[in-house]
Amino acid sequence: MSENNFTKEIKGEEIKFIAGKMLGKLVKWLRILGYDTAYPSFDNDLSLILTARQEGRILLTRDTNLIKRRNICDFLFIKGDHWEEQLAGIIKGLKLEIDLNSKIFSRCSLCNTPTKDVNKEEAKNYVPPYVFLTQEKFVYCPSCKKYYWRGTHWQRMTQKIQKLSLNISGSDS
């Protein structure tokens, strides 16, 4: 991920992304980390560029023809073939902070909507009985109508993120 174009300083403000169609798995993981990441159904270059400009998003793309336009908008050209490599490049390149306490899992990985904390009783009829008995904290996506909790899937994803963070910080030295 060596090519990029930024017309403004991005530090200090909330970073938002928009991604082209070839980056679905990367989108999921950026959302898991809490980053507002649009993944539109259209893949028209002009529509992606206009949406990025209008919404103040950084365009993530693997499309070399799109970036040849240079001053199209703020963009990052994604070189890696695997989501871990792509995500590591973005984190390292933009010096993103990974907040494992508050920001992680604060967005729905499916639709990008911010999740809401709900009390345990609200989730009772929407989660498996075992999950209800063993979990205390639940979040809800008001758009997808899905409930999430910190079960084994969450633990595995958190471990992947921690491993990725260690690899990034280890490669800095």
Side-chain angles (χ1 to χ4, degrees), residues 5-72:
N5 179 55
F6 296 111
T7 58
K8 63 182 188 269
E9 181 69 24
I10 60 170
K11 294 196 188 304
E13 63 181 81
E14 184 183 349
I15 298 173
K16 299 186 299 184
F17 301 102
I18 185 170
K21 280 291 151 202
M22 296 180 267
L23 299 169
K25 196 135 190 184
L26 174 63
V27 167
K28 173 188 167 186
W29 282 92
L30 283 166
R31 289 174 177 173
I32 287 168
L33 291 177
Y35 289 98
D36 181 344
T37 308
Y39 191 54
S41 56
F42 56 82
D43 202 23
N44 170 295
D45 288 357
L46 185 57
S47 296
L48 283 170
I49 293 165
L50 290 174
T51 303
R53 280 187 186 160
Q54 289 170 346
E55 297 180 6
R57 294 180 181 276
I58 297 171
L59 174 62
L60 305 174
T61 185
R62 297 194 61 173
D63 184 344
T64 53
N65 289 326
L66 190 141
I67 66 162
K68 286 179 183 171
R69 298 177 183 176
R70 284 290 169 201
N71 291 322
I72 55 169

